[in-house]
Amino acid sequence: FFLSQVKAELSKALDVIHQRQQQLLKEPNKEFGFYCVVIDEALAITAGLPKRDRDDYLSQLDSLALLGRSCGVVLAVTGQALSASGNAVAISTQARDQLGLKILLVGNANVTAQDCRFLFANLVDPNSVVITRDNFSKGLGLVYREADGRVMPLLAPYIENLEG
């Protein structure tokens, strides 16, 4: 039942893309507001799915990632892991390669090659990116922006108590 709901929402987003593409044919300079689709804990969605259902879902994500950017439809995918052994796959490599912003946060003080393997396919050695820790022990990671094509260090503040 949950997968049916997810696929229905993805179909709505794909319909928006197709409508906007039709508008762009008539008005090539038309600008659209952002329509954002967020997939949280993406690996959990495909874990345990039959191959056919998983492939249908991933095909929708691929279409969204490939076609959406040109007409203001944005895909955000989050998860504690994006690639796993076995049948569970959060997103395809084709969709991953279309992501314009990739952020990897790690829960410990070190970014490992295993952490980076799927998200940053071209980053051979994560130690080649110097992360100045500045007393940070949490909120460390890497960020990739397609605009400049570089993997950069990321320091995100950790707020332990919002009231104090």
Side-chain angles (χ1 to χ4, degrees):
F1 178 71
F2 178 71
L3 181 64
S4 298
Q5 290 177 315
V6 170
K7 289 172 66 175
E9 291 301 318
L10 292 176
S11 290
K12 287 180 190 176
L14 290 169
D15 288 344
V16 168
I17 289 170
H18 293 128
Q19 290 168 2
R20 289 180 174 190
Q21 286 176 333
Q22 290 301 314
Q23 289 177 336
L24 284 173
L25 288 174
K26 297 173 188 168
E27 301 174 62
N29 296 324
K30 175 125 176 107
E31 292 186 20
F32 302 100
F34 282 106
Y35 182 106
C36 187
V37 176
V38 178
I39 306 291
D40 189 22
E41 289 300 338
L43 193 60
I45 294 174
T46 61
L49 284 180
K51 182 178 178 357
R52 180 177 178 196
D53 290 338
R54 183 186 70 239
D55 290 350
D56 287 346
Y57 163 77
L58 291 174
S59 175
Q60 282 184 298
L61 275 186
D62 285 352
S63 295
L64 194 65
L66 293 168
L67 302 173
R69 188 185 311 184
S70 66
C71 51
V73 178
V74 177
L75 175 63
V77 181
T78 72
Q80 294 182 31
L82 293 180
S83 168
S85 59
N87 291 334
V89 176
I91 59 174
S92 70
T93 56
Q94 292 86 352
R96 176 209 57 207
D97 291 345
Q98 292 300 312
L99 299 176
L101 176 68
K102 301 173 190 177
I103 300 172
L104 172 69
L105 290 175
V106 295
N108 58 35
N110 297 311
V111 177
T112 67
Q114 185 174 345
D115 294 331
C116 298
R117 186 173 294 128
F118 183 76
L119 195 56
F120 307 112
N122 295 327
L123 182 63
V124 177
D125 180 14
N127 294 320
S128 66
V129 180
V130 177
I131 300 175
T132 306
R133 287 176 167 59
D134 292 336
N135 295 321
F136 276 76
S137 62
K138 298 180 181 177
L140 298 171
L142 300 173
V143 62
Y144 166 86
R145 287 181 347 132
E146 185 181 62
D148 54 26
R150 298 183 310 170
V151 176
M152 304 288 293
L154 176 70
L155 298 176
Y158 174 75
I159 302 169
E160 192 166 331
N161 182 357
L162 291 175
E163 295 176 9

